[in-house]
Amino acid sequence: MPRRLARELSALDGTVVRIGGHLEDYRALGGVAFAIVRDGSGTVQVTLKKGSTDPALFALLETLPRESVLRVDGTVRRSEKARRGVELVPSAIEVLSAAEVPLPLGVVDKVGAELDTRLNHRVLDLRKPGVRQVFELRSALLAGLRHAFRARGFLEVETPKLLRQGAEGGATLFPVEYFEERAYLAQSPQLYKQMLMSAGFERVFEIAPAFRAEPSDTVRHITEFTSLDAEMAYIDSADDLRTALEGILADAIGEARGALAGLGHPLAAALPEVRTPFPRFPFREVEGWLGRPGADRDLSTEDEKKVGEVAEKEHGASFYYITEFPTAVKIATFYARRQDDHPDLTGYFDLGYRGLELASGGPREHRLARLLDNFRAAGVDTAGFAGYLEAFRFGMPPHGGWGLGLDRLVWVLAGVANIREARLFPRDRYRLEP
Ligand code: AMO
């Protein structure tokens, strides 16, 4: 007999079916007993009645630990009192896998456990429907993002994650023993997405893990995150990038909202109607709001929050760009192009959402001589960058791109408290397991 899902049963009144799932709860009340079985689509009430149900089934469920995995065969019957309007009257129950007792983490407990406890026992935590919903939102968003990129002619690519050199500064590189050599885990696909511009691919995107040895223990940093990267050739200005990015986000979030709403998903309403264009605030203006005009200092977390407040209060915007980062702030970003008419400014921008940096990007330096100047200014040795630099020697179109932290986007859209909750099995300074 093929297995049916909990959500299918309301249409199957009177039918003999098989279900499978975890035993969420069992309650005996005199002559009747109720077992709640949870599968990936919801729960089923299995109703046992003294006199008509095999007494062995009562005995089995009485002693079976919560969260054990069961298979139940039975008849679907209308019931006013059951949650979905139907219950299952069992004829046979088989235990497929018994759970140990006690459970280290309750699955239906109303009392919230500490995040650390939840992450230590993440498999049990993920069984909670509210936790699973975050990943349903994530999956819907990924589908929407892929469609939005493809609709704009972007090719999805995959670049190496084992590298000889990093692109985002030595402090956050993870070294790896690589036979007789030292390699590093990729902090970003930066160098490769640019090389693909020289390869003539023109528009690429990648959704892949990025690794940063990020020692700070914050709600916004993890050591393994999913980076959503894009690169576009023949751009005329940074605004070409911003227009593409905001359009992709608006389309992807809109598609995800539609898809989730169609399923009656509780998080559909959490996805905002995204209005474009997003306001653009030049960095020099933002420095004024922060009371330090011309200071050329990068934004701290507190600064970012302040900018988010101004965007919300004065511009009614959740999403916004901070544009034209000064060269002094981006000096380590050797691949960032300085403006030809304003060499103290780059075309670099951040995408913010209510005080959180979601993405950063900008036009790249595609002229080899100037790129080498940037390496020198950044104090970065070109040894180990031969493959990257070769891409500039045989014809490189002007180009630019951005990197967006997918976990940050899911975190804020799902409305969970910590970026770790947006990943199935997060990695941070103190967590390599589970
Ligand atoms: P950047 O270093 O700003 O830029 O990273 C891009 C985006 O990635 C996310 N992010 C992180 N998310 C979680 N935990 C972390 N430790 C973490 N570090 C970064 C953020 C950030 O905005 N190569 C450039 C992009 C480009 O210019 O195309 C880059 O990596 O959301």
Side-chain angles (χ1 to χ4, degrees), residues 167-168 187-191 193 210-214 220-231 330 333 335 348 350-351 356-362 364 400-409 419:
E168 310 299 334
Q187 297 161 305
S188 151
Q190 183 62 39
L191 305 182
K193 59 182 184 168
F211 304 91
R212 307 242 174 140
E214 182 60 67
R220 57 178 67 196
H221 291 100
I222 40 184
T223 52
E224 180 181 18
F225 66 97
T226 298
S227 186
L228 197 155
D229 275 89
E231 203 69 25
K330 289 285 173 193
T333 311
Y335 50 81
Y348 256 63
D350 275 2
L351 168 69
L356 175 72
E357 179 200 317
L358 284 183
S360 72
R364 323 296 190 191
W402 69 81
L404 181 145
L406 182 73
D407 314 279
R408 287 191 177 180
L409 183 65
I419 192 170

Side-chain angles (χ1 to χ4, degrees), residues 165 371-376 379-389:
Q165 282 294 354
L371 180 62
L372 293 172
D373 288 343
N374 288 359
F375 267 87
R376 271 188 290 276
V380 177
D381 189 352
T382 53
F385 288 93
Y388 174 66
L389 291 171

